Amino acid sequence: MRVYADNAATTKMSEIAIDTMISYMKNEYGNPSSLYEKGQRALEAIERARKSIAEVINCKPEEIYFTSGGSESDNQAILSATEIGKRKNKKHIISTAFEHHAILHPLEKLKNQGFEITLLPVHEDGLVRIKDLKEAIRDDTVMVTVMFANNEIGTIQPIKEIGSICREKGIIFHTDAVQAVGHIPINVLEMNIDMLSMSAHKFHGPKGIGALYVRKGIKLTGLIEGGAQEKGKRAGTENVPAIMGMAAALIESNNGMEENTINISKMRDNLMEELKKIPHAKVNGSIISRLPGNLNMCFEGIEGESLLLLLDDKGVSASSGSACTSGSLDPSHVLLALGLPHEIAHGSLRISLSEYNSEEEIMHMVKVIPQVVAYLRSISPIWNDLKEGRKEYVIQ
Amino acid sequence: MLYSDKVMDHFRNPRNLGIIEDADGVGEVGNAKCGDIMKIYIKVDKGIITDVKFNTFGCGSAIATSSMATEMIKGKSLDEALELTNKAVVEALDGLPKHKIHCSVLAEEAVKAAIEDYYNKEGKIEKTEHSCSGCTGCCGM
């Protein structure tokens, strides 16, 4: 049995999204910038897609800009805030310690341009504190960017409160909602969100397409200069099939959200209850304010990459926050930001479910994950020391 | 493919797994902070490594390199075993990705640490090089 349990990394495309894309590839291959009928039909199509996407997050169609995905949207959002900040001489930006690298790296680079960056800490529950935000805000703060839901531990941030505070203080509020869109309700109007990044391949749409929502009145700076597409804010012939695929996937995810949430949480909770029975294991982050499909746990005494490889042999595709899987010497900055010691962070496992998973697959994981953990512990010198009482357990 | 077939074989079916209760030499290197710990146990008789076992906390290449290292020193003399290089381990495994080479360095260090421990116990202290214990990251990984 093969179980795909890494939906936070990417998702299988839905049949509707695939069929939509194929139909546009076959029949509507016109360039939306062309005057003739074939071009205009393509233009009308992407404008229909724009409207559908806007409806899902409750904004105006003209506030949606198509991009190549979450990373581009994040970069463009930060660039735009930078330009506004330079003009108004406001060079302070607030974000969090556990943002995606597509936020953290551009912010880091801004330090070379005289910007100061404050990264709010995340607490053990994987949530930022409003108190910390209020204390961090300065007169020269131009933007706050906080992810809607974290990609590794799935915790959902207090977005509405953050939006309210930023609106009051006249600070631009951007949220990287890549993991949230299509999975939990988002209302940019109600939540006072000024900019938002989304990416289709996280909600059963195609890879290589996303969007950036920008509230009317906020000046967007182009990342890619050239043709006049996207009101001159994002040059390049529009990827019509991908845009249509994204819209179709989002409509489908949005329509099924309520039912999917119930079913996916149930599967995730079952899995979690079973895996919590493994001794010296812990769940990372709040279980209450969390994406329905996310489960992130640490198992003391073992390492993540070997865990994933053996799980792969048993048919399970999952992910980890160990250093070896991140390609660096440090384990995931997200887990470290929670305050986990290195050796515990190395032994992490992230399972992210979707509506395509089944109870049968959960049962399979319930069977094989404890087996693999037990085996790796049996060959681990750390576990041996813990068992023999030479070291003290970190996870009780 | 991240790992060669040989690496995957040694990872899936590690040779010489285990502990020797009355070992003549025990070498433990690496640290939990960087995610790799290898512990090698040896039994020595008349200067020959008659038995070797290992335990490892670490990734695929950590387990594979320690497994291969134990295979390469089993039945060898202490002098021969001291000549084991990480390069030889990597070659025997048909290569490792560049960012995983440091695992093979750790395996070489574990072997040397076990032999040094044996000499210490014997009262005959032989200095061997220890660049990995304490992991200062000096191998640049």
Side-chain angles (χ1 to χ4, degrees):
Chain A
M1 178 185 289
R2 289 227 64 98
V3 179
Y4 184 73
D6 200 17
N7 288 279
T10 193
T11 58
K12 181 179 179 182
M13 272 184 69
S14 79
E15 288 300 318
I16 293 177
I18 294 174
D19 290 343
T20 303
M21 284 189 74
I22 291 175
S23 130
Y24 277 88
M25 283 187 224
K26 279 191 168 153
N27 308 318
E28 297 299 349
Y29 53 84
N31 185 322
S33 301
S34 301
L35 282 180
Y36 41 76
E37 202 229 348
K38 201 150 191 69
Q40 291 306 297
R41 275 216 308 274
L43 177 62
E44 279 153 28
I46 67 172
E47 292 312 315
R48 278 197 306 274
R50 202 185 303 271
K51 185 161 178 281
S52 309
I53 293 168
E55 272 164 16
V56 170
I57 63 172
N58 196 24
C59 69
K60 303 185 181 79
E62 59 264 34
E63 292 174 324
I64 295 286
Y65 296 80
F66 296 123
T67 65
S68 65
S71 299
E72 184 185 330
S73 298
D74 283 349
N75 273 262
Q76 188 166 16
I78 290 172
L79 175 67
S80 304
T82 307
E83 291 305 303
I84 294 169
K86 283 180 186 165
R87 264 200 336 266
K88 298 187 173 178
N89 200 22
K90 287 185 170 192
K91 294 181 130 198
H92 177 237
I93 295 177
I94 298 171
S95 188
T96 78
F98 73 171
E99 294 294 308
H100 190 272
H101 285 138
I103 291 287
L104 291 178
H105 289 187
L107 287 181
E108 184 62 32
K109 274 189 98 170
L110 282 184
K111 291 180 179 172
N112 300 337
Q113 295 184 47
F115 275 77
E116 275 174 57
I117 314 292
T118 298
L119 296 182
L120 301 177
V122 236
H123 293 244
E124 214 194 292
D125 53 6
L127 298 168
V128 296
R129 296 288 187 270
I130 295 297
K131 179 169 163 288
D132 292 338
L133 170 66
K134 283 182 174 167
E135 281 169 15
I137 288 175
R138 304 176 349 192
D139 290 333
D140 64 338
T141 303
V142 63
M143 173 171 85
V144 168
T145 170
V146 175
M147 66 198 323
F148 209 110
N150 181 269
N151 52 312
E152 292 197 35
I153 56 179
T155 48
I156 302 168
Q157 304 307 307
I159 296 299
K160 196 160 180 206
E161 287 106 303
I162 297 173
S164 169
I165 293 166
C166 289
R167 185 57 56 88
E168 198 195 303
K169 306 252 176 201
I171 298 172
I172 298 169
F173 175 39
H174 166 261
T175 179
D176 173 347
V178 164
Q179 294 287 332
V181 171
H183 304 294
I184 51 180
I186 295 178
N187 187 328
V188 297
L189 188 63
E190 247 178 52
M191 295 172 173
N192 289 308
I193 296 171
D194 297 315
M195 294 200 279
L196 175 148
S197 306
M198 72 171 81
S199 175
H201 77 100
K202 306 289 191 182
F203 49 81
H204 308 290
K207 293 175 179 61
I209 192 84
L212 177 65
Y213 149 75
V214 183
R215 190 167 62 89
K216 207 160 173 193
I218 292 176
K219 189 158 190 277
L220 188 62
T221 302
L223 199 54
I224 301 172
E225 297 295 330
Q229 293 90 354
E230 298 303 285
K231 296 187 281 188
K233 302 296 184 183
R234 204 278 183 184
T237 303
E238 300 90 338
N239 188 340
V240 177
I243 289 169
M244 304 318 290
M246 169 164 65
L250 185 55
I251 292 168
E252 193 185 3
S253 289
N254 195 46
N255 288 344
M257 198 186 286
E258 230 180 279
E259 197 187 322
N260 290 339
T261 300
I262 294 170
N263 295 337
I264 297 170
S265 321
K266 190 153 159 270
M267 286 191 286
R268 186 273 314 272
D269 292 344
N270 283 347
L271 180 62
M272 179 170 63
E273 286 316 308
E274 290 302 314
L275 294 185
K276 271 163 82 175
K277 292 177 182 170
I278 297 173
H280 307 284
K282 81 187 278 282
V283 175
N284 298 313
S286 156
I287 301 173
I288 304 165
S289 185
R290 198 183 192 113
L291 292 174
N294 181 294
L295 177 60
N296 190 305
M297 296 183 68
C298 282
F299 302 103
E300 187 157 8
I302 65 170
E303 187 275 335
E305 189 203 275
S306 44
L307 176 60
L308 295 186
L309 287 173
L310 290 175
L311 284 178
D312 189 25
D313 278 352
K314 304 234 181 220
V316 177
S317 305
S319 149
S320 166
S322 78
C324 293
T325 54
S326 74
S328 75
L329 275 184
D330 280 325
S332 137
H333 66 288
V334 171
L335 298 179
L336 292 180
L338 290 183
L340 290 179
H342 279 67
E343 59 265 30
I344 299 297
H346 284 307
S348 59
L349 176 68
R350 178 188 74 182
I351 300 268
S352 42
L353 305 171
S354 82
E355 60 271 37
Y356 295 170
N357 293 110
S358 67
E359 267 306 328
E360 214 193 332
E361 291 177 345
I362 301 295
M363 296 324 305
H364 181 69
M365 286 193 279
V366 166
K367 192 176 105 196
V368 305
I369 294 173
Q371 279 174 359
V372 173
V373 171
Y375 164 70
L376 286 173
R377 279 176 167 172
S378 76
I379 71 168
S380 158
I382 294 186
W383 186 251
N384 213 274
D385 284 345
L386 291 167
K387 244 180 28 177
E388 307 279 313
R390 287 192 291 270
K391 266 183 79 171
E392 272 196 45
Y393 289 102
V394 172
I395 307 173
Q396 293 311 317
Chain B
M1 205 49 267
L2 177 65
Y3 290 134
S4 72
D5 288 342
K6 279 235 177 87
V7 171
M8 286 313 287
D9 178 35
H10 274 265
F11 168 68
R12 289 178 175 125
N13 312 292
R15 325 310 197 229
N16 310 308
L17 268 178
I19 292 169
I20 301 175
E21 295 289 345
D22 57 341
D24 296 316
V26 180
E28 186 169 353
V29 296
N31 71 66
K33 198 164 179 226
C34 76
D36 276 322
I37 296 188
M38 295 176 190
K39 197 164 181 179
I40 290 186
Y41 306 79
I42 54 174
K43 287 242 26 123
V44 182
D45 188 29
K46 298 187 184 64
I48 304 285
I49 298 173
T50 54
D51 196 15
V52 56
K53 292 260 187 274
F54 85 97
N55 262 190
T56 289
F57 160 88
C59 61
S61 40
I63 292 172
T65 51
S66 33
S67 164
M68 179 56 89
T70 59
E71 278 287 274
M72 291 173 86
I73 64 170
K74 196 168 187 179
K76 296 269 167 37
S77 73
L78 290 168
D79 284 337
E80 281 171 316
L82 277 176
E83 281 170 10
L84 179 73
T85 62
N86 76 298
K87 242 183 109 184
V89 175
V90 172
E91 254 175 57
L93 286 169
D94 287 345
L96 276 179
K98 203 166 138 217
H99 63 286
K100 295 290 191 180
I101 300 283
H102 73 285
C103 295
S104 65
V105 178
L106 205 61
E108 179 193 324
E109 291 303 310
V111 165
K112 295 193 156 86
I115 296 172
E116 185 176 302
D117 184 53
Y118 165 75
Y119 281 132
N120 279 339
K121 287 193 166 92
E122 290 289 295
K124 180 185 177 193
I125 294 154
E126 279 262 353
K127 258 231 163 256
T128 54
E129 265 164 45
H130 262 332
S131 43
C132 264
S133 46
C135 192
T136 54
C138 59
C139 60
M141 295 310 301

